[in-house]
Amino acid sequence: MASMDDDKALAKVPESERQHWIVPATIFGGLEFSVPVIMIGAALAGSFGLSKILLILLIALVIIQWIGNALQGYLGAKTGLPSAVIARTSFGSIQARFIVGLSLVVMNVGWFAVNTAVAGNAISAVFGIDYTEQWAIWALLTLIAGILFSVPAIIGYNSMKWTDYLAVPAGLLLIFAGVFYSLKGAGWEKIMDWNPEPSMTFLGGISLILGANVAQWLIASDYTRYSKPTVKDQMLIPLGIIVIGFVFFMTGAVMSVGVGNADIVAVMQDLGFPFWGFLILWLALWTSQLVACYSTGLAAANMFNIDSGKGRAWLTIAGSVAGIMLAVAGILAYFMDFLILLSVIYPAIAAVMFTDFFFIRNKEWEDKSGWNWIATLALALGALVGYLTQYVFPMGVPAVQSLLISGAVYLAGMKIKAKVKPDHFTNSDIKNNSLGDVVNK
């Protein structure tokens, strides 16, 4: 069993500890073994037939998401560092700790809360408890589920990968069972002929898919830092997300066609799932929960400048407690709003990191102290454009527009700054920088 002390939060992962690409790919697959992903597939089925859902997935998941994950994954593999530390180069150590770090904590705690709430619903269904009426018992079961979810992530990365090896087959069994019971209830002809009146636009469907996945553009490096820094590996690793996500989104759509409900537990009940189906649902949730817990601990460790394994573990515990509290408080009712928030803010942060690493630092990492206001400006403008094109003047794909605007503003701003008022953010000191000094800066 891996020790908490073995999994440092901020230190570079040495080349000798790099693993085959299948390991982070499996953990990435665990990201998509998420019941909210099935719920989004069900929500899409409320507006589109299966052929349009297929096209939405091809554009959002296979094209856009693959590129974003591969880029962030390469950053992690090349530097050997987690995303919260990589952000120090572009944002500066202070801003990376308190702005980027806090953003990562909020995102991961939110995902953990959503999944924990769904798990509470599933366990309640196993025991015949009406989770819409018997709140106290549901809250207790949700609390127990949250505690069990967090334990492997508290222990560390190596514990997580073995848990995923057990949970992924359970998720596949859930998928097969979902399709089976859907066909048994609705029939293949009804599913293929499904053509509802749209309640969202085609681009809105793409945005919904990205909202569920765009956060990975920030946290991918937390796991690819354990992989080899080759283009081939970083192109293959996102397959875990693409393949599993594709299957889960489509399964959610198929399962909901004959039921008309995006609540996955209610759908399973209406389809006639036996009790073991809900137990498998709980196990499948474990994979995405591990990633949310672990990344929370890493981001919080960067915020508080803690590099010990025990420190990371305690911060992971604190994040898990916060997630459980949000789950019990009813975050599931605001799930779609939560996704939209992610799709507006996180692409802007990722864009600054991508642009700095590939166009300014020549694919090298430098620890920069202080606060880079050009990064702040780029983040703010990108997020603003994303918000306006999402809520005020709906157009295009806000996540992509947010990313492009932030990247362009950051690159232009840094070039102007280098000519007008250069500082340590515009000067390269790679040769004098020591990765071992990261904790002390």
Side-chain angles (χ1 to χ4, degrees):
M1 178 69 70
S3 168
M4 294 178 188
D5 291 320
D6 295 336
D7 195 356
K8 297 298 179 69
L10 306 182
K12 177 182 179 180
V13 176
E15 293 286 341
S16 60
E17 295 182 17
R18 302 302 179 92
Q19 302 169 347
H20 193 277
W21 68 267
I22 199 68
V23 177
T26 300
I27 292 179
F28 273 173
L31 278 170
E32 294 301 292
F33 271 83
S34 169
V35 170
V37 170
I38 298 180
M39 293 167 63
I40 294 169
L44 289 175
S47 293
F48 307 103
L50 292 190
S51 61
K52 285 190 176 180
I53 294 176
L54 179 64
L55 182 57
I56 288 172
L57 290 175
L58 286 173
I59 295 173
L61 198 60
V62 178
I63 298 176
I64 301 175
Q65 189 63 35
W66 199 326
I67 294 173
N69 271 53
L71 290 174
Q72 182 61 232
Y74 184 78
L75 266 67
K78 187 71 166 60
T79 63
L81 297 167
S83 58
V85 177
I86 295 173
R88 295 186 183 202
T89 296
S90 52
F91 286 90
S93 59
I94 297 177
Q95 188 170 197
R97 286 173 61 187
F98 295 105
I99 301 298
V100 180
L102 181 61
S103 297
L104 289 167
V105 168
V106 170
M107 172 190 70
N108 287 295
V109 169
W111 269 117
F112 183 81
V114 167
N115 279 312
T116 300
V118 174
N121 292 354
I123 297 175
S124 297
V126 170
F127 293 104
I129 297 168
D130 185 349
Y131 56 88
T132 63
E133 297 291 340
Q134 298 171 279
W135 185 88
I137 299 177
W138 169 83
L140 177 61
L141 293 174
T142 302
L143 171 64
I144 294 172
I147 293 172
L148 293 176
F149 281 145
S150 64
V151 171
I154 292 170
I155 296 173
Y157 181 89
N158 288 320
S159 175
M160 288 170 56
K161 69 180 182 181
W162 287 113
T163 306
D164 272 349
Y165 290 153
L166 296 175
V168 167
L172 292 174
L173 183 57
L174 175 66
I175 290 298
F176 292 138
V179 173
F180 171 79
Y181 283 105
S182 296
L183 293 176
K184 182 180 178 181
W188 187 248
E189 184 177 351
K190 179 181 178 181
I191 292 173
M192 292 303 297
D193 292 339
W194 181 254
N195 188 29
E197 187 68 27
S199 59
M200 73 175 74
T201 65
F202 184 83
L203 292 178
I206 293 176
S207 295
L208 194 58
I209 296 294
L210 290 178
N213 287 275
V214 75
Q216 297 158 15
W217 294 357
L218 287 184
I219 66 172
S221 53
D222 292 351
Y223 306 95
T224 57
R225 65 187 179 128
Y226 288 93
S227 65
K228 298 174 183 178
T230 66
V231 173
K232 175 186 174 182
D233 279 27
Q234 301 316 311
M235 289 299 295
L236 290 172
I237 289 172
L239 279 173
I241 287 173
I242 305 305
V243 174
I244 300 302
F246 202 93
V247 172
F248 264 61
F249 281 120
M250 288 301 295
T251 300
V254 169
M255 289 176 66
S256 71
V257 165
V259 177
N261 194 335
D263 182 338
I264 185 60
V265 175
V267 169
M268 291 172 65
Q269 288 176 320
D270 289 344
L271 288 175
F273 267 67
F275 80 94
W276 55 261
F278 296 95
L279 294 177
I280 291 174
L281 172 66
W282 180 84
L283 185 58
L285 278 166
W286 208 344
T287 56
S288 55
Q289 291 295 74
L290 295 179
V291 173
C293 270
Y294 185 71
S295 288
T296 296
L298 289 180
N302 183 56
M303 285 182 64
F304 298 107
N305 216 21
I306 296 174
D307 191 40
S308 68
K310 286 185 178 179
R312 178 203 59 77
W314 279 110
L315 290 171
T316 303
I317 292 172
S320 301
V321 170
I324 293 171
M325 292 174 64
L326 285 173
V328 173
I331 190 176
L332 198 57
Y334 305 96
F335 175 54
M336 294 303 174
D337 292 332
F338 175 65
L339 291 183
I340 297 301
L341 174 66
L342 297 186
S343 68
V344 168
I345 295 177
Y346 293 101
I349 298 175
V352 172
M353 296 172 65
F354 293 165
T355 305
D356 186 88
F357 187 78
F358 289 103
F359 296 102
I360 294 179
R361 311 295 168 193
N362 193 27
K363 295 187 288 187
E364 295 288 348
W365 181 85
E366 301 176 56
D367 192 14
K368 298 292 186 180
S369 60
W371 188 296
N372 186 2
W373 288 102
I374 298 298
T376 309
L377 176 64
L379 167 61
L381 289 178
L384 177 62
V385 169
Y387 173 82
L388 291 175
T389 56
Q390 177 69 53
Y391 293 106
V392 184
F393 310 105
M395 60 178 290
V397 181
V400 175
Q401 289 145 197
S402 177
L403 182 139
L404 294 177
I405 292 298
S406 286
V409 170
Y410 182 76
L411 183 60
M414 289 297 286
K415 287 185 176 297
I416 294 172
K417 186 178 185 180
K419 292 181 179 180
V420 177
K421 191 176 181 181
D423 59 9
H424 66 294
F425 285 108
T426 60
N427 297 326
S428 178
D429 59 353
I430 294 172
K431 293 182 179 179
N432 298 322
N433 182 62
S434 170
L435 287 172
D437 294 335
V438 63
V439 179
N440 299 318
K441 293 189 176 183

